[in-house]
Amino acid sequence: MSVRHFFFLAVCLALLGCSAGTPKPPLPTPPNVDLPRFMGAWYVLGFIPLPPERDAVNGIEHYSLDEDGRIVTVYRFRKGSPDGPLKTFRPSASVVPGTGNSEWKMQFLWPFKADYRIAYVDADYSLTIIARQARDYVWLMARQPTIDDNQWQAMLQRIAAMGYSLDDFVRQPQRWPETQPRPAR
């Protein structure tokens, strides 16, 4: 097994991990997500990160619909700093039928599919919260690389109200424009 396959397997297992304890109440989700409007670039502003993204900077998740209705995803970030190495993940996603487009199955490695829920999207599709029923990982994303402090606090309150502990929630640095790594001498 290559290192890359091992890494993807670890991510999948982390996403599929069982949550101990009593079942959680259903996450709130919008009754209907306008999927074409949701597509495009989203800056990751804060999260409870998966292990591979713990030191992520300048994270951007980009969604597009392919011809057969699947969601093509590209998640890219810099590791450690705005001029750190570029990391890119390309999972695919499919909408769970009957969920108003708010629940997806994200696939990093076949045959594993992970829970991915649009738990919140504002009226103008400029802020979103992506969550998981297990309340283990969460991502706060926006169409711009920053939001004001009032919006930040309101989103933290919304995430906490969903049943997440904010102890592990961190702000992901967004520093633009990125600088290019200097060539080795």
Side-chain angles (χ1 to χ4, degrees):
M1 178 183 292
S2 73
V3 172
R4 184 174 186 193
H5 285 107
F6 179 77
F7 174 74
F8 283 124
L9 182 59
V11 168
C12 290
L13 291 175
L15 287 171
L16 293 171
C18 299
S19 68
T22 58
K24 310 262 192 272
L27 272 170
T29 57
N32 188 39
V33 174
D34 182 342
L35 210 50
R37 193 170 176 201
F38 193 82
M39 298 296 103
W42 291 92
Y43 293 86
V44 180
L45 304 181
F47 55 1
I48 296 176
L50 288 164
E53 61 181 343
R54 286 202 199 281
D55 297 324
V57 175
N58 287 1
I60 300 175
E61 185 121 303
H62 188 274
Y63 307 109
S64 60
L65 287 171
D66 69 9
E67 322 68 65
D68 64 356
R70 291 186 56 84
I71 301 161
V72 178
T73 306
V74 178
Y75 177 42
R76 51 95 56 205
F77 60 89
R78 297 284 178 171
K79 187 76 172 169
S81 71
D83 60 348
L86 182 63
K87 302 292 182 185
T88 304
F89 298 99
R90 299 178 190 279
S92 63
S94 57
V95 173
V96 175
T99 64
N101 298 326
S102 64
E103 292 183 29
W104 302 1
K105 290 297 179 184
M106 190 70 73
Q107 188 168 37
F108 288 87
L109 179 67
W110 184 86
F112 305 104
K113 292 184 179 180
D115 179 42
Y116 182 99
R117 298 178 191 218
I118 301 168
Y120 171 79
V121 63
D122 64 356
D124 63 357
Y125 283 66
S126 64
L127 279 171
T128 191
I129 297 169
I130 305 302
R132 290 178 24 90
Q133 179 61 29
R135 306 322 197 273
D136 48 1
Y137 302 105
V138 65
W139 296 265
L140 169 59
M141 301 189 296
R143 297 291 190 176
Q144 300 296 321
T146 61
I147 58 176
D148 68 44
D149 287 337
N150 290 335
Q151 288 176 307
W152 177 261
Q153 291 304 318
M155 292 298 98
L156 288 181
Q157 289 174 4
R158 187 176 291 274
I159 291 167
M162 290 177 188
Y164 279 92
S165 167
L166 297 179
D167 292 342
D168 296 322
F169 191 87
V170 294
R171 194 171 220 152
Q172 185 179 118
Q174 290 285 343
R175 295 189 189 108
W176 297 92
E178 288 183 328
T179 56
Q180 296 302 315
R182 293 183 182 174
R185 295 185 200 211

